[in-house]
């Protein structure tokens, strides 16, 4: 966890890709950080893809890179993601990397840098999404777009109001459902925005012992639950994500009690749906993440490898499904429970 | 405490540091002289790209870099409007004028220093250098490009003292020594900050662990795969159990005559490490 008094604060430096400076979002951000050292670069990859970077050290003092995204803007879903039964499931990446430091996250091994890249050409993203909506395969379903896949956008909202901009975009778009997944407690950043049926706010919730052990720098469970209550009270669609379910000592009891606590704090009948998953990671990301921080016990458990993805054994996955489903069944209709079991 | 490798282009830049830290002259097998005492080393590379690549490259090839922070320190020309003569700057961007390559040090620590970009040129600039927004030297880019093959970017620190506004050639060693001496307290503070910082992480397997594992590889005649698996298990044991693998030294004395014996012993070790 970050505790580094000798280190510069996050965003002490902002790298600006040539061409990005003319975007209004760039100017907004620079005004929010008047004391930041500005460094101009020709391409964001000059900073982001440098060899010899130390992801773990950079997490102690993250920098911001402002850039103009080039195509593609939209990516097809993979087996690792949960599409919750939707056919037209895709994702986009307005922001690369995350403020948080969850030890089980694929971001620990995916990028060469822990610095954040914010793409400032939002209109280009929106135009591509409009295009994707009109060309979606299953016309009977909306385009389901995850915008917070490689990041936690809501956690970043007070720095760059990406969520606000995407919500405003979604409000005028038929046939789209935008998912904003988060561990943030920062609902206040959205409290003055009207709820929008084209937007799904998804909160990842974990037992306290899992939050403390693995979800470094994230808000505690109690604060996330409060944010969920606030969102529900305002009328938002809210999904609950229990992902990943971590196989810790007495995990069955821990998660059973945890789910009871969640549904005593939240009105189950107002929940849009839930998704459940287990630890899984691309094998290359896993090896890189382990090399970066070998002291995390996650990297020494027994996993199965299938199609390039490491996950817990099939029989264990089945057990998770059985235990969690049984508990969720007490609170929710079956159609509101989606379990990743690839 | 982290090891600080100070590199300078000129002997005059190194002299104040050698005296201040009472560094002793040493030689490495590549016939390169350097100065060292304890965890501070000073290497003079010479002026210009070729000298840097040859001397610094050879030096880094020979020395162990595990806990090293490289600090390139020296004088530079500065933009007249943006810099002050005698002032110390931290470099946040280095451009190699010859090929346009850009190198970016990672500024992670609170140094309190003003920052500037640096252009590395092949010939001294004496016409005022108005085309350069920050500082100008002749080695920075080559130092970065050479050193990053051995040392992570966040452990590469570039400090420059402005000696002129690119309107004269500074050819007096005494002037150089004087400039460095005036900034010595600041430099000393930075060295202390870096020595005691968390910039260099302790590896999970220390030298003793590596020595033990190498010994086991030889004594048990392990295959390449088994060697990898042993290291993997050892790391897991230390990470998860928060314990030491010293108990494995008992296996150094085991005599292996057959593949079956090797497999049996290897399996026993792995079981103990997985417990």
């Amino acid at each position: 966890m970050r505790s580094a008094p000798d280190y510069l604060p996050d965003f002490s430096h902002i790298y600006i890709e040539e061409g990005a400076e003319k975007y209004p979002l760039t100017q907004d951000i620079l005004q929010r950080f008047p004391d930041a050292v500005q460094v101009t670069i020709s391409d964001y990859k000059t900073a982001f893809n440098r060899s010899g970077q130390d992801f773990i050290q950079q997490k102690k003092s993250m920098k911001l890179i402002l850039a103009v995204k080039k195509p593609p803007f939209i990516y097809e879903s993979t087996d690792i993601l949960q599409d919750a039964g939707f056919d037209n499931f895709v994702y986009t990446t307005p922001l690369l990397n995350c403020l948080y430091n969850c030890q089980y996250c694929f971001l620990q091994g995916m990028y060469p840098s822990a610095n954040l890249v914010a793409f400032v050409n939002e209109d280009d993203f929106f135009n591509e999404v409009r295009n994707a909506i009109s060309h979606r395969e299953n016309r009977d379903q909306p385009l389901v777009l995850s915008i917070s896949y490689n990041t936690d956008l809501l956690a970043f909202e007070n720095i760059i109001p990406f969520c606000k901009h995407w919500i405003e975009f979604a409000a005028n778009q038929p046939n789209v459902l935008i998912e904003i997944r988060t561990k943030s407690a920062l609902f206040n950043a959205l409290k003055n925005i009207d709820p929008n049926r084209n937007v799904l706010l998804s909160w990842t919730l974990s037992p306290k012992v899992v939050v403390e052990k693995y979800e470094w720098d994230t808000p505690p469970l109690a604060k996330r639950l409060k944010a969920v209550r606030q969102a529900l009270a305002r009328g938002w669609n809210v999904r609950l994500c229990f992902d990943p379910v971590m196989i810790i000592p007495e995990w069955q009891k821990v998660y059973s009690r945890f789910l009871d606590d969640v549904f005593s704090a939240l009105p189950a009948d107002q929940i849009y749906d839930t998704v459940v998953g287990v630890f899984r990671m691309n094998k290359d990301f896993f090896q890189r993440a382990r090399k970066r921080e070998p002291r995390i016990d996650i990297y020494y458990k027994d996993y199965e490898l299938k199609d390039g993805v490491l996950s817990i054994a099939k029989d264990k996955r089945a057990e998770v499904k059985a235990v969690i489903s049984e508990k969720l069944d007490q609170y929710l209709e079956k159609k509101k429970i989606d379990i990743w079991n690839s | 405490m982290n090891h600080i490798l100070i590199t300078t282009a000129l002997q005059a830049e190194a002299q104040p540091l050698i005296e201040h830290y009472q560094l002793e002259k040493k030689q490495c097998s590549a016939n390169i002289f350097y100065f060292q005492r304890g965890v501070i080393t000073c290497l003079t590379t010479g002026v210009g790209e070729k000298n840097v690549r040859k001397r610094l490259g050879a030096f880094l090839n020979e020395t162990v870099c595990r806990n090293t922070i490289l600090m390139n320190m020296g004088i530079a020309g500065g933009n007249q409007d943006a810099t002050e003569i005698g002032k110390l700057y931290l470099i946040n961007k280095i451009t190699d004028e010859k090929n346009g390559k850009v190198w970016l040090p990672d500024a992670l620590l609170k140094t309190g220093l003003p920052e500037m970009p640096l252009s590395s040129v092949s010939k001294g600039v004496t016409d005022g250098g108005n085309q350069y927004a920050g500082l100008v030297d002749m080695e920075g880019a080559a130092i970065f490009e050479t050193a990053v093959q051995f040392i992570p970017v966040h452990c590469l620190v570039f400090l420059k003292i402005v000696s002129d506004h690119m309107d004269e050639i500074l050819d007096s060693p005494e002037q150089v020594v004087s400039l460095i001496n005036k900034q010595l307290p600041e430099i000393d503070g930075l060295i202390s900050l870096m020595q005691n910082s968390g910039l260099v992480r302790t590896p999970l397997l220390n030298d003793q662990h590596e020595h033990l594992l190498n010994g086991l590889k030889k004594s048990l005649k392990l295959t390449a795969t088994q060697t990898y698996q042993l290291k993997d298990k050892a790391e897991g044991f230390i990470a998860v159990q928060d314990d030491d693998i010293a108990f494995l030294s008992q296996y150094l004395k085991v005599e292996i005559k057959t593949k079956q014996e090797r497999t049996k012993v290897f399996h026993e070790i792995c079981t103990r490490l997985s417990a």
Side-chain angles (χ1 to χ4, degrees):
Chain A
M1 293 189 216
R2 285 193 281 151
S3 170
D6 288 338
Y7 284 67
L8 288 163
D10 290 334
F11 318 130
S12 61
H13 291 64
I14 299 179
Y15 295 90
I16 307 162
E17 186 182 79
E18 281 166 14
E21 68 283 352
K22 63 179 189 234
Y23 287 85
L25 194 52
T26 300
Q27 296 307 317
D28 282 346
I29 295 162
L30 294 179
Q31 278 176 18
R32 281 173 207 258
F33 294 98
D35 296 330
V37 174
Q38 296 178 18
V39 181
T40 304
I41 51 178
S42 58
D43 187 296
Y44 82 90
K45 291 173 188 172
T46 311
F48 197 61
N49 288 9
R50 288 172 290 164
S51 57
Q53 294 182 88
D54 188 317
F55 184 95
I56 305 298
Q57 286 291 332
Q58 287 176 337
K59 266 294 188 191
K60 296 179 188 177
S61 173
M62 291 182 283
K63 312 302 181 206
L64 185 56
I65 303 169
L66 303 180
V68 179
K69 181 84 169 76
K70 318 285 186 302
F73 291 87
I74 294 176
Y75 301 90
E76 293 296 319
S77 156
T78 66
D79 287 343
I80 287 187
L81 296 178
Q82 294 144 323
D83 56 25
F86 285 101
D87 288 341
N88 310 313
F89 187 77
V90 293
Y91 70 93
T92 189
T93 57
L95 184 70
L96 304 182
N97 266 329
C98 190
L99 285 181
Y100 300 140
N101 199 5
C102 299
Q103 295 305 298
Y104 54 64
C105 182
F106 65 93
L107 290 177
Q108 298 288 332
M110 182 169 174
Y111 295 128
S113 172
N115 294 329
L116 284 90
V117 181
F119 294 112
V120 294
N121 51 325
E122 290 181 297
D123 286 342
D124 291 337
F125 280 84
F126 298 150
N127 287 337
E128 280 306 305
V129 172
R130 287 188 192 98
N131 196 32
I133 293 168
S134 59
H135 288 97
R136 69 192 189 280
E137 219 169 283
N138 184 339
R139 312 293 295 176
D140 296 329
Q141 290 184 5
L143 182 81
V144 178
L145 175 70
S146 171
I147 65 171
S148 192
Y149 171 51
N150 289 9
T151 185
D152 191 316
L153 275 192
L154 188 58
F156 212 63
E157 192 67 7
N158 282 345
I159 299 166
I160 305 180
F162 275 129
C163 293
K164 178 170 176 281
H165 297 166
W166 277 95
I167 291 169
E168 286 166 357
F169 164 74
N172 298 313
Q173 295 301 318
N175 297 312
V176 74
L177 180 64
I178 289 179
E179 187 198 14
I180 304 176
R181 190 168 294 202
T182 186
K183 290 186 173 89
S184 169
L186 207 54
F187 180 74
N188 271 344
L190 305 181
K191 69 176 181 187
N192 295 323
I193 302 175
D194 288 336
N196 183 332
R197 303 324 283 179
N198 292 345
V199 173
L200 182 58
L201 302 179
S202 296
W203 264 274
T204 297
L205 304 175
S206 302
K208 185 168 178 261
V209 62
V210 171
V211 172
E212 286 169 359
K213 186 165 184 181
Y214 297 117
E215 296 178 4
W216 295 3
D217 305 325
T218 62
L221 173 64
K223 288 196 175 180
R224 291 186 223 176
L225 287 171
K226 183 180 170 191
V228 174
R229 278 198 300 273
Q230 289 173 316
L232 288 170
R234 275 287 279 140
W236 288 93
N237 288 328
V238 172
R239 166 180 283 169
L240 302 182
C241 306
F242 306 110
D243 186 12
V245 171
M246 296 302 287
I247 310 302
I248 55 174
E250 299 192 313
W251 66 270
Q252 298 95 329
K253 276 190 201 161
V254 168
Y255 274 87
S256 183
R257 267 198 304 266
F258 157 69
L259 290 172
D260 285 336
D261 290 344
V262 166
F263 290 107
S264 68
L266 301 175
D269 59 324
Q270 291 180 30
I271 300 298
Y272 182 89
D273 67 9
T274 59
V275 293
V276 180
V278 298
F279 174 78
R280 58 205 181 279
M281 197 185 285
N282 171 284
K283 184 187 163 202
D284 293 334
F285 298 167
F286 180 93
Q287 285 171 344
R288 196 181 301 154
R290 180 185 147 167
K291 199 173 169 189
R292 284 173 176 171
E293 184 46 275
R295 290 174 173 84
I296 306 299
D297 64 359
I298 291 173
Y299 303 125
Y300 303 99
K301 296 186 190 293
D302 290 324
Y303 297 112
E304 282 180 355
L305 176 65
K306 185 186 167 196
D307 299 329
V309 175
L310 283 166
S311 185
I312 61 174
K314 196 172 178 180
D315 57 345
K316 206 57 163 179
R317 292 203 298 274
E319 191 187 351
V320 168
K321 180 179 180 177
V323 167
I324 303 296
S325 298
E326 189 188 328
K327 181 51 77 172
L328 288 177
D329 278 348
Q330 295 172 16
Y331 297 103
L332 299 163
E333 304 165 59
K334 275 199 169 18
K335 66 176 184 178
K336 288 192 173 186
I337 305 168
D338 182 72
I339 301 193
W340 182 85
N341 194 28
S342 189
Chain B
M1 195 175 267
N2 300 322
H3 170 231
I4 308 293
L5 169 59
I6 304 168
T7 66
T8 68
L10 305 170
Q11 188 57 30
E13 290 165 334
Q15 203 54 43
L17 297 160
I18 292 168
E19 286 166 11
H20 180 73
Y21 294 109
Q22 298 177 318
L23 307 182
E24 295 168 342
K25 192 172 182 179
K26 296 191 178 179
Q27 183 180 353
C28 71
S29 64
N31 281 329
I32 293 169
F33 290 98
Y34 61 100
F35 293 81
Q36 187 179 63
R37 180 184 286 275
V39 290
I40 297 181
T41 301
C42 188
L43 173 72
T44 297
T45 60
V47 174
E49 180 199 334
K50 276 192 185 143
N51 281 323
V52 164
R53 291 191 197 286
K54 189 178 160 193
R55 287 176 60 78
L56 181 60
F59 184 80
L60 290 174
N61 252 321
E62 272 205 44
T63 56
V64 177
C65 297
R66 269 227 280 213
N67 66 332
T68 294
I69 296 170
L70 184 147
M71 183 187 276
N72 172 242
M73 217 271 306
I75 57 169
N79 179 290
Q80 187 181 337
D81 298 323
T83 64
E84 283 176 42
I85 292 187
K87 198 160 178 171
L88 181 66
Y89 293 90
L90 178 70
I91 302 301
N92 58 31
K93 178 182 174 186
I94 304 170
T95 304
D96 188 335
E97 207 196 32
K98 189 178 77 181
N99 54 28
K101 275 189 191 173
V102 169
W103 306 99
L104 298 169
D106 253 346
L108 298 185
L109 295 184
K110 287 177 188 164
T111 62
L113 290 177
E115 294 186 20
M116 274 287 155
L118 174 72
S119 295
S120 292
V121 299
S122 47
K123 285 182 193 166
V125 179
T126 52
D127 62 356
N130 291 324
Q131 68 271 40
Y132 302 107
L135 306 182
V136 175
D137 81 344
M138 296 175 74
E139 297 79 32
I143 289 172
F144 196 110
E145 187 170 15
T146 305
V148 79
Q149 296 170 61
F150 302 89
I151 299 172
V153 287
H154 71 286
C155 291
L156 301 177
V157 180
F158 289 76
L159 302 174
K160 298 290 175 183
I161 298 170
V162 177
S163 56
D164 58 90
H165 284 140
M166 294 181 276
D167 48 3
E168 60 174 336
I169 294 175
L170 199 72
D171 56 6
S172 152
E174 290 77 27
Q175 285 177 284
V176 174
V177 167
S178 171
L179 284 167
I180 307 290
N181 269 327
K182 281 181 186 152
Q183 290 293 349
L184 208 44
E186 184 83 64
I187 294 165
D188 189 46
L190 288 166
I191 286 176
S192 184
L193 171 70
M194 279 166 208
Q195 277 179 324
N196 297 298
S197 72
L199 279 185
V200 181
R201 284 185 297 145
T202 315
L204 193 59
L205 296 178
N206 60 29
D207 289 341
Q208 275 176 323
H209 295 142
E210 297 278 6
H211 185 73
L212 173 56
L213 293 175
N214 275 332
L216 287 168
K217 175 188 166 185
K218 287 179 188 146
S219 67
L220 301 178
K221 300 182 178 101
L222 298 179
T223 63
T225 303
Q226 286 170 332
T227 304
Y228 175 82
Q229 287 171 340
L230 177 61
K231 187 175 178 187
D232 189 86
K233 292 278 181 203
E235 283 181 341
F237 186 84
I238 294 168
V240 178
Q241 306 285 357
D242 198 19
D243 203 344
D244 200 70
I245 57 168
F247 70 91
L248 292 179
S249 59
Q250 65 189 262
Y251 293 96
L252 290 170
K253 300 179 191 111
V254 171
E255 230 183 281
I256 300 292
K257 290 194 180 107
T258 65
K259 264 190 199 174
Q260 288 78 12
E261 278 176 13
R262 179 182 69 197
T263 304
K264 183 169 172 261
V265 172
F266 180 69
H267 181 74
E268 183 182 311
I269 291 173
C270 289
T271 303
R272 289 183 75 176
L273 289 173
S274 301

